Amino acid sequence: MSAYVIVEIDILDPAGYEEYKKLAGATVAKYGGKYIVRGGRTEVLEGDWNPKRIVLLQFESMRRAKDWLNCEDYREPRKMRHRTAKTNMILVEGV
């Protein structure tokens, strides 16, 4: 069953975050993931949530998404993301 990683991102260091993006994409692909949304325009339809940036990744399963997040290849890019942005991340199982 597909799984989705949803990330809300507030970029603190734009130049550093651009470097992160260059490294992260290859790790996502290596684990069979793909970007569904990568920072496109957002519009609030209900409520008061107003995220600055949203990224949505699709993986074949929750296990595979967790494998990617915790893999050796993503270790340094993940640290880079933590230095350059404030993030909230959830994993959601698809239907």
Side-chain angles (χ1 to χ4, degrees):
M1 182 172 296
S2 289
Y4 300 88
V5 175
I6 303 169
V7 191
E8 175 188 21
I9 303 169
D10 183 4
I11 299 171
L12 306 173
D13 172 1
Y17 190 79
E18 285 301 313
E19 289 302 311
Y20 158 76
K21 285 178 14 181
K22 291 176 186 176
L23 299 174
T27 68
V28 169
K30 183 176 180 178
Y31 282 79
K34 69 178 184 176
Y35 287 91
I36 304 298
V37 172
R38 195 172 191 183
R41 188 174 65 89
T42 62
E43 180 180 342
V44 177
L45 298 177
E46 292 187 11
D48 59 2
W49 184 35
N50 196 11
K52 292 183 169 99
R53 180 180 177 86
I54 294 291
V55 173
L56 174 63
L57 303 169
Q58 180 183 27
F59 288 88
E60 67 186 42
S61 66
M62 291 184 86
R63 177 77 260 148
R64 197 68 174 154
K66 290 177 187 177
D67 289 346
W68 160 74
L69 184 64
N70 298 304
C71 76
E72 183 64 31
D73 292 332
Y74 189 57
R75 178 173 294 171
E76 288 306 314
R78 188 178 186 184
K79 288 178 187 177
M80 185 181 281
R81 177 173 51 82
H82 289 162
R83 282 192 309 272
T84 62
K86 179 181 173 191
T87 59
N88 291 305
M89 181 184 294
I90 61 171
L91 179 58
V92 180
E93 192 170 60
V95 294

